[in-house]
């Protein structure tokens, strides 16, 4: 199982890596599914990306679109 170091705005610290490794191990053991750890990593990554999107969209004025936020030519 590989976990990308740059899923958000930086790499995971040692504590985050250790926590993920332990959670992944427990999920694999409880489900007897060797791919469960990878699935967990994907779900965490998606949740982070959704949270980042919500944060960005929260800065967009309700009356406008992305034109004021994105510098698009």
């Amino acid at each position: 199982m590989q976990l990308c170091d740059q899923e958000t705005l930086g790499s995971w610290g040692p504590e985050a890596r250790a926590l993920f490794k332990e959670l992944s191990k427990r999920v694999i053991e409880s489900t007897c599914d060797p791919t469960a750890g990878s699935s967990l990593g994907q779900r965490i990554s998606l949740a982070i990306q959704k949270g980042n999107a919500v944060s960005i969209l929260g800065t967009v004025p309700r009356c406008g679109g992305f034109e004021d936020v994105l510098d698009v030519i």
Side-chain angles (χ1 to χ4, degrees):
M1 164 186 40
Q2 275 187 300
L3 184 64
C4 181
D5 285 346
Q6 299 293 326
E7 288 293 331
T8 60
L9 299 177
S11 55
W12 288 22
E15 294 87 4
R17 286 180 170 279
L19 176 62
F20 175 77
K21 188 174 181 178
E22 181 63 27
L23 290 174
S24 180
K25 179 181 146 190
R26 290 182 186 202
V27 169
I28 291 169
E29 288 173 354
S30 68
T31 62
C32 297
D33 179 3
T35 65
S38 178
S39 296
L40 175 64
Q42 291 170 359
R43 292 181 75 172
I44 290 172
S45 175
L46 186 56
I48 291 170
Q49 291 175 23
K50 284 182 177 181
N52 289 342
V54 168
S55 294
I56 292 169
L57 290 175
T59 65
V60 177
R62 292 194 184 269
C63 60
F66 285 100
E67 296 83 20
D68 296 335
V69 177
L70 300 175
D71 188 18
V72 180
I73 298 176

